[in-house]
Amino acid sequence: MNVLKDHINKTISLTDEEFSVVESFFTKQHIKKREMIISENDQVNHVYFIVSGLLKLFYTDAEAKEHIISFSMEDWWESDYAAFYTQTKATQSLQCLEDTIVLKLSFDDYQQLLNQVPKMTDFFLKKAIGGHISNQRRILSLMTMSAKERYEQFLKYYPTLIQRVPKTILAAYLGVSRETLSRLYLESGLKRSK
């Protein structure tokens, strides 16, 4: 819970009493690598704060092709937010890429938390705005950037993920072939060593 407390205090200031209320709404869960947290058509009842590990959020189209929406690591939040906030069935899936520990917050507890600790409304709003900005940046990169530019942007914003995300999955996220990613990786490594 100290990880969650430090995370929240980077955005808003909570008293020890307020955080005691906040933490009472969260449940710790250990999830194994490759396990699904959310599958398409599941009822989405939780949002997840990642304590340790790595998650992949993706959409599977009618031809069974995976479209990777995002990766989430320590100190990040993840869920199928559209399904969570509207309390509808999932259209996206969430899977562990590593053994993962999360703190999960149910929809009902989320509502109660906002009522009992109103400061948390500001916290979640700021997190949502940050996520929205990241999503817009990703959409624009897919629409306007070359493969090399998308790769360089990924390195800039998520330098630690390059070693943690399997190359095939990263290639799919960037919208390039595995071979193109290998070439970009080599070019990037050569530049950095000069």
Side-chain angles (χ1 to χ4, degrees):
M1 287 297 175
N2 285 337
V3 174
L4 179 62
K5 185 177 185 179
D6 292 344
H7 173 77
I8 292 170
N9 281 330
K10 290 177 195 169
T11 305
I12 61 168
S13 182
L14 292 178
T15 66
D16 289 341
E17 294 76 23
E18 287 169 329
F19 183 73
S20 182
V21 174
V22 169
E23 74 177 330
S24 71
F25 288 105
F26 285 85
T27 306
K28 187 177 182 180
Q29 182 178 358
H30 294 258
I31 309 141
K32 294 286 184 193
K33 182 178 180 177
R34 293 187 193 83
E35 257 187 79
M36 300 297 287
I37 299 175
I38 300 171
S39 296
E40 187 178 344
N41 292 317
D42 283 353
Q43 183 67 39
V44 179
N45 295 317
H46 294 90
V47 64
Y48 302 90
F49 173 71
I50 298 104
V51 175
S52 66
L54 181 64
L55 306 177
K56 168 183 77 168
L57 184 69
F58 63 97
Y59 170 78
T60 307
D61 68 20
E63 285 79 42
K65 181 180 177 186
E66 262 186 32
H67 301 273
I68 300 169
I69 298 160
S70 63
F71 300 109
S72 306
M73 61 181 174
E74 294 84 3
D75 218 32
W76 292 14
W77 295 82
E78 195 59 271
S79 189
D80 178 334
Y81 284 108
F84 176 75
Y85 285 116
T86 60
Q87 285 297 278
T88 55
K89 302 282 185 184
T91 58
Q92 301 165 40
S93 299
L94 186 60
Q95 183 181 31
C96 294
L97 295 177
E98 299 173 353
D99 287 349
T100 301
I101 299 171
V102 296
L103 296 175
K104 63 183 185 177
L105 177 65
S106 74
F107 182 77
D108 291 338
D109 285 344
Y110 169 77
Q111 299 293 332
Q112 287 185 47
L113 172 58
L114 298 184
N115 286 330
Q116 291 188 33
V117 186
K119 287 181 188 178
M120 290 300 290
T121 301
D122 188 42
F123 170 79
F124 283 114
L125 176 60
K126 287 177 178 172
K127 288 292 160 191
I129 290 169
H132 184 66
I133 291 167
S134 293
N135 287 337
Q136 284 186 339
R137 184 173 48 237
R138 175 154 159 70
I139 291 166
L140 284 172
S141 75
L142 290 170
M143 292 169 55
T144 64
M145 292 181 173
S146 68
K148 181 179 180 182
E149 290 169 329
R150 288 194 304 274
Y151 178 75
E152 288 172 351
Q153 184 181 61
F154 186 85
L155 282 177
K156 176 182 173 184
Y157 288 106
Y158 313 111
T160 61
L161 283 182
I162 202 75
Q163 301 302 324
R164 294 174 68 182
V165 175
K167 300 269 185 291
T168 304
I169 295 172
L170 181 56
Y173 174 81
L174 294 171
V176 299
S177 69
R178 176 79 164 75
E179 294 74 23
T180 299
L181 179 63
S182 293
R183 181 177 49 78
L184 292 170
Y185 185 78
L186 286 172
E187 288 173 7
S188 171
L190 292 173
K191 281 183 188 172
R192 278 194 237 154
S193 63
K194 288 183 180 177

